[in-house]
Amino acid sequence: MITIKEIARQLDMSTTTVSNVIHGKTKEVSQETIERVRAYLDKVGYVPNLAAQNLAANQSRIIGVVIKTRKDRYMNILSEPFVSRILGVIEQEIREAGYFMMLYISEDMMDILNKVAAWNTDGLLLFWMVDDDALRVYKRYRKPVVCVDTYISREVIHQFEHSFVNIGLEDEKGTYDAVSYLLKLGHQRIAFLSDDRSGVNRERYRGFCRALDEAGKEHGEEDYFELNSGKDGIYESMAQLAKRAAGYDAVLCCSDVYACIFTKALERAGLGVPTDISVMGFDDTIPGAISRPAITTVHQDIEKKGELAIGTLLRMIQGESFENDQIILKTSIIERESTCKR
Amino acid sequence: MITIKEIARQLDMSTTTVSNVIHGKTKEVSQETIERVRAYLDKVGYVPNLAAQNLAANQSRIIGVVIKTRKDRYMNILSEPFVSRILGVIEQEIREAGYFMMLYISEDMMDILNKVAAWNTDGLLLFWMVDDDALRVYKRYRKPVVCVDTYISREVIHQFEHSFVNIGLEDEKGTYDAVSYLLKLGHQRIAFLSDDRSGVNRERYRGFCRALDEAGKEHGEEDYFELNSGKDGIYESMAQLAKRAAGYDAVLCCSDVYACIFTKALERAGLGVPTDISVMGFDDTIPGAISRPAITTVHQDIEKKGELAIGTLLRMIQGESFENDQIILKTSIIERESTCKR
DNA sequence: TTGAAAGCGCTAACAA
DNA sequence: TTGTTAGCGCTTTCAA
């Protein structure tokens, strides 16, 4: 790889001049010089050494995308439809802005933060942060950070010295609307199926409860179907839950994939969807749309979420400052074939 | 961020010693010094500056994963089930080996190669190379390269000065077996649905033809269902093809997702699957398994493919040399609910 | 308008 | 066993 120094030698000028032309700082460079340099540059196909640039300019043009995973839950988190879809748009936005994406996936936030520091990452996109991890990040990382789908407590937010920016979703309202919709369809007993009740899923569960409360329907712990989502456990777990579903009119799942799998489990248990029981999903991802019956779901605009997240982060990197604030995207019900009137 | 120099100053020793301890080159360092350094290191939470390390040692610990995409075909290639799944295992393997993954997705191979050079990427994993792009890579990139699912001509391979290593699949045999299976089920007229006939899909189409030829079945261009897979076009295109499918007993699709969508299109056109017509997919990805009817498919071991690809690349990076060679993974038929006896 | 030189943080050859 | 020093390729300040 040819270096600036070598180019300067060949052209018999200083590295400063070459560097200036490369970066378009040409106010004080003669037209002739500019052209000589430019011509030579693309003759030899000059490519900057980004490590050197990083070192000298103290910026990496890397944007870190942080996903704290859980081995016991996800064996391959990148293949979750929501994740792969939003990552696709994020990657594209980062690339088009002239930055590079580096993925940090780990169970250990400290490990992630060390790597982020080692690469001198220019900004961070954090998925699904929880209180203590968020705190760790804000303690150790002094550059722009944008959170996605993050619920952290007021107290923790106040501990942040700089701004907390989150791109989120009406999770609570999403399930509230879903349950209201099911109620309107004439369903009486409704269950909520999820693999945990923290973060996003806690909010979704809250919306479920509120809708039932407001409608004056009794409900309790037994209406929460907790999925054991360990690698293989999931199908057995689904089969178990399908048995419990016998007395219900509808089950609202926290994701479309779960809705698809649960639909199969129900039918295997002799319950037709939607004839015997309605099933709803959440997120509006591909699997729900192409399965049969197509899954009625709570839609969210994943592309927009990704664009907003990166857009905001990029603006922060470019120096714009944000107060503590959030952008909360809307949800809407997409009616398909897995639900019907009772 | 604290530097080695600063640590050396604090501990009143040379940077060499500190650096040596950090890298475990402790043969010539006294036990006492080792311990003093180690203690200080984790007291201050030292994190190396990778840019500096990269610059000095001329290696980046970055592995580039190159996917040349086609805007007209994939609006979000990361969300294709095969891609997201193999990327998940690749990312994990890279991370566990102490490397970093950088994704290079573009329509323009030259652009990709510039970025690869700029980062001084230690090795490359190339997906779905075609002759001329492969040639460009081998011309400009002098470090380890492993291809995945790549078919390039003998002549081009011979132009490579160094080795051509490919991790592939029995694509041709996969569809050959699939068609044989459908034939055995008593199907007479079988179509092949795909979005193109190059690379992997060309081989899959060849297998389709060979099976029919060997069985003495007539077949022709009209049995090739070409999907117009442009963003929105896909559903209309599927609807069109569903009409053409009326006279057929079975349709073999080049992917599970297509099989799912086509199944829906067929039913919308009044054709029941598998009662009126059988449908098969390829790859054995999640959507096919969780849709209903579950898609009978040609299985491939995606995890193994990813592991082999990275494993091989890592060994090349560590200096092991490989002759021109390929590892071709096996396929097998997974019988599910979208096919039945005629 | 151009150039010299210091320095970013780290490695490694060589000297002590 | 430890230290000195010259780079790696680039940016940027300051001088010419």
Side-chain angles (χ1 to χ4, degrees):
Chain A
M1 290 279 62
I2 194 164
T3 67
I4 286 191
K5 199 185 192 175
E6 175 63 17
I7 293 175
R9 211 180 57 79
Q10 296 283 341
L11 259 32
D12 198 36
M13 52 177 74
S14 79
T15 60
T16 311
T17 306
V18 177
S19 172
N20 281 148
V21 172
I22 288 173
H23 292 88
K25 299 178 182 170
T26 49
K27 297 171 206 164
E28 301 182 332
V29 184
S30 73
Q31 197 54 38
E32 198 217 319
T33 311
I34 296 179
E35 270 150 31
R36 271 183 68 211
V37 174
R38 292 230 172 105
Y40 197 80
L41 242 30
D42 65 53
K43 180 182 147 202
V44 298
Y46 170 76
V47 172
N49 179 319
L50 291 178
Q53 219 170 268
N54 184 352
L55 193 58
N58 191 33
Q59 53 129 333
S60 60
R61 301 200 77 78
I62 293 175
I63 287 181
V65 175
V66 175
I67 304 179
K68 193 191 165 184
T69 188
R70 287 180 47 178
K71 282 252 173 200
D72 61 330
R73 183 145 296 164
Y74 300 109
M75 52 171 292
N76 183 340
I77 199 164
L78 289 195
S79 75
E80 298 288 318
F82 172 82
V83 175
S84 67
R85 175 117 156 256
I86 198 165
L87 232 42
V89 346
I90 285 171
E91 189 278 335
Q92 193 173 323
E93 296 285 320
I94 291 178
R95 179 156 37 80
E96 283 170 4
Y99 282 76
F100 297 87
M101 174 173 91
M102 201 166 252
L103 231 38
Y104 301 100
I105 301 178
S106 169
E107 301 207 74
D108 176 5
M109 187 50 82
M110 279 314 187
D111 173 50
I112 289 178
L113 286 172
N114 283 339
K115 284 169 178 165
V116 162
W119 279 108
N120 192 24
T121 303
D122 285 348
L124 244 37
L125 206 62
L126 306 173
F127 277 84
W128 306 310
M129 283 300 102
V130 292
D131 278 15
D132 44 347
D133 281 334
L135 220 42
R136 285 195 191 94
V137 173
Y138 281 83
K139 279 240 171 64
R140 286 205 41 195
Y141 188 74
R142 257 82 266 296
K143 294 192 190 174
V145 169
V146 167
C147 297
V148 177
D149 288 337
T150 290
Y151 289 96
I152 53 181
S153 57
R154 283 264 152 261
E155 304 89 72
V156 172
I157 290 183
H158 286 138
Q159 293 188 48
F160 299 161
E161 291 151 39
H162 30 298
S163 65
F164 169 73
V165 177
N166 177 50
I167 313 296
L169 185 72
E170 300 176 330
D171 288 292
E172 200 266 355
K173 180 165 177 299
T175 42
Y176 177 87
D177 290 346
V179 172
S180 305
Y181 160 82
L182 290 169
L183 255 16
K184 211 165 55 195
L185 247 35
H187 297 84
Q188 300 299 319
R189 285 198 73 196
I190 304 175
F192 180 73
L193 184 156
S194 176
D195 54 4
D196 80 336
R197 273 185 290 185
S198 65
V200 160
N201 286 332
R202 186 192 52 206
E203 297 305 309
R204 294 183 185 178
Y205 181 64
R206 283 187 44 225
F208 165 83
C209 294
R210 182 165 66 91
L212 291 176
D213 286 340
E214 290 187 9
K217 302 276 179 199
E218 296 265 311
H219 66 97
E221 193 58 25
E222 71 280 7
D223 302 322
Y224 171 62
F225 285 14
E226 169 129 340
L227 187 68
N228 168 7
S229 68
K231 316 190 178 197
D232 317 299
I234 185 166
Y235 289 94
E236 288 149 47
S237 187
M238 283 283 185
Q240 305 260 261
L241 293 173
K243 283 184 206 140
R244 263 174 71 186
Y248 287 82
D249 298 309
V251 177
L252 172 55
C253 303
C254 70
S255 82
D256 289 343
V257 171
Y258 286 162
C260 289
I261 300 177
F262 195 54
T263 297
K264 289 191 81 85
L266 287 171
E267 306 217 313
R268 205 159 288 150
L271 260 26
V273 175
T275 39
D276 298 319
I277 182 170
S278 289
V279 170
M280 276 188 77
F282 203 114
D283 289 341
D284 191 15
T285 52
I286 311 285
I290 68 178
S291 90
R292 202 174 60 97
I295 303 295
T296 296
T297 193
V298 180
H299 167 84
Q300 65 165 308
D301 191 336
I302 301 179
E303 279 70 28
K304 191 167 172 192
K305 198 184 251 181
E307 284 162 16
L308 273 171
I310 289 297
T312 308
L313 184 56
L314 251 17
R315 284 161 62 196
M316 291 171 82
I317 291 175
Q318 262 115 58
E320 211 166 313
S321 91
F322 287 74
E323 304 303 305
N324 282 5
D325 74 327
Q326 306 211 42
I327 302 177
I328 304 300
L329 297 180
K330 302 254 173 248
T331 57
S332 61
I333 304 292
I334 306 276
E335 217 172 331
R336 291 205 271 245
E337 307 154 1
S338 65
T339 49
C340 70
K341 275 227 157 73
R342 246 334 70 90
Chain B
M1 291 279 62
I2 194 164
T3 68
I4 286 191
K5 198 182 189 177
E6 175 63 19
I7 292 174
R9 207 179 60 78
Q10 296 282 340
L11 258 34
D12 198 37
M13 52 177 73
S14 78
T15 61
T16 310
T17 306
V18 178
S19 172
N20 281 148
V21 173
I22 288 172
H23 291 88
K25 298 178 184 171
T26 50
K27 297 170 206 162
E28 302 182 332
V29 184
S30 73
Q31 196 54 39
E32 197 217 320
T33 311
I34 295 179
E35 271 149 29
R36 269 184 68 212
V37 174
R38 292 230 172 106
Y40 197 79
L41 242 30
D42 66 53
K43 179 183 148 204
V44 299
Y46 171 75
V47 172
N49 180 319
L50 259 12
Q53 220 169 267
N54 184 352
L55 193 57
N58 192 33
Q59 53 129 334
S60 61
R61 301 199 79 78
I62 293 175
I63 287 182
V65 175
V66 174
I67 304 179
K68 192 192 165 185
T69 188
R70 287 180 47 178
K71 282 253 173 196
D72 61 330
R73 183 144 297 163
Y74 299 109
M75 51 172 294
N76 183 338
I77 200 164
L78 289 195
S79 76
E80 298 288 316
F82 172 82
V83 175
S84 66
R85 176 117 155 257
I86 198 165
L87 232 41
V89 345
I90 285 171
E91 189 279 336
Q92 193 174 325
E93 296 285 319
I94 290 178
R95 178 157 37 81
E96 283 169 4
Y99 283 76
F100 298 87
M101 174 174 91
M102 202 166 250
L103 230 40
Y104 301 100
I105 300 178
S106 169
E107 299 207 76
D108 175 5
M109 187 50 82
M110 278 313 183
D111 172 50
I112 290 176
L113 286 172
N114 283 340
K115 285 169 177 163
V116 163
W119 279 108
N120 192 24
T121 303
D122 284 348
L124 245 36
L125 207 63
L126 306 173
F127 278 84
W128 305 310
M129 283 299 102
V130 292
D131 278 14
D132 43 348
D133 281 332
L135 220 42
R136 286 195 190 94
V137 174
Y138 280 84
K139 279 239 171 65
R140 287 205 41 194
Y141 188 73
R142 259 79 269 295
K143 295 192 190 174
V145 169
V146 167
C147 297
V148 178
D149 288 336
T150 291
Y151 290 96
I152 53 181
S153 57
R154 283 263 154 262
E155 305 90 70
V156 172
I157 290 183
H158 285 139
Q159 293 190 47
F160 299 160
E161 290 153 38
H162 30 297
S163 65
F164 169 73
V165 177
N166 178 50
I167 313 297
L169 184 73
E170 300 177 330
D171 290 293
E172 200 266 356
K173 180 165 177 297
T175 41
Y176 176 88
D177 289 346
V179 171
S180 305
Y181 160 80
L182 290 169
L183 256 15
K184 211 165 55 196
L185 246 35
H187 297 83
Q188 299 300 319
R189 287 198 71 196
I190 304 175
F192 180 73
L193 184 156
S194 176
D195 54 3
D196 80 338
R197 273 185 291 184
S198 65
V200 160
N201 286 332
R202 187 193 50 207
E203 297 306 308
R204 294 183 185 178
Y205 180 64
R206 283 187 44 225
F208 165 82
C209 294
R210 182 165 66 93
L212 291 175
D213 287 340
E214 289 187 10
K217 302 278 179 199
E218 295 265 311
H219 66 97
E221 193 59 24
E222 71 281 7
D223 302 322
Y224 171 62
F225 286 14
E226 169 131 339
L227 187 68
N228 167 9
S229 68
K231 316 191 176 196
D232 316 300
I234 186 167
Y235 289 94
E236 289 150 45
S237 187
M238 283 284 186
Q240 305 259 259
L241 294 174
K243 284 182 206 145
R244 264 174 70 185
Y248 288 81
D249 298 309
V251 176
L252 172 56
C253 303
C254 71
S255 81
D256 289 342
V257 172
Y258 285 162
C260 290
I261 300 177
F262 195 55
T263 298
K264 288 192 84 86
L266 286 170
E267 306 216 313
R268 205 159 289 151
L271 259 27
V273 175
T275 39
D276 298 319
I277 182 169
S278 289
V279 171
M280 276 189 77
F282 202 114
D283 289 340
D284 192 16
T285 51
I286 312 284
I290 69 177
S291 90
R292 201 173 60 97
I295 304 296
T296 296
T297 193
V298 180
H299 167 85
Q300 65 164 309
D301 192 338
I302 301 179
E303 280 69 29
K304 191 168 172 194
K305 198 183 251 182
E307 284 162 17
L308 273 170
I310 288 297
T312 309
L313 184 56
L314 251 17
R315 283 161 63 197
M316 290 171 83
I317 291 174
Q318 263 115 57
E320 210 164 314
S321 90
F322 287 74
E323 303 303 305
N324 282 5
D325 73 331
Q326 307 211 41
I327 302 176
I328 304 300
L329 298 179
K330 301 256 173 246
T331 56
S332 60
I333 303 292
I334 307 275
E335 217 171 331
R336 292 205 269 244
E337 307 154 1
S338 65
T339 48
C340 70
K341 274 226 158 74
R342 244 337 68 91

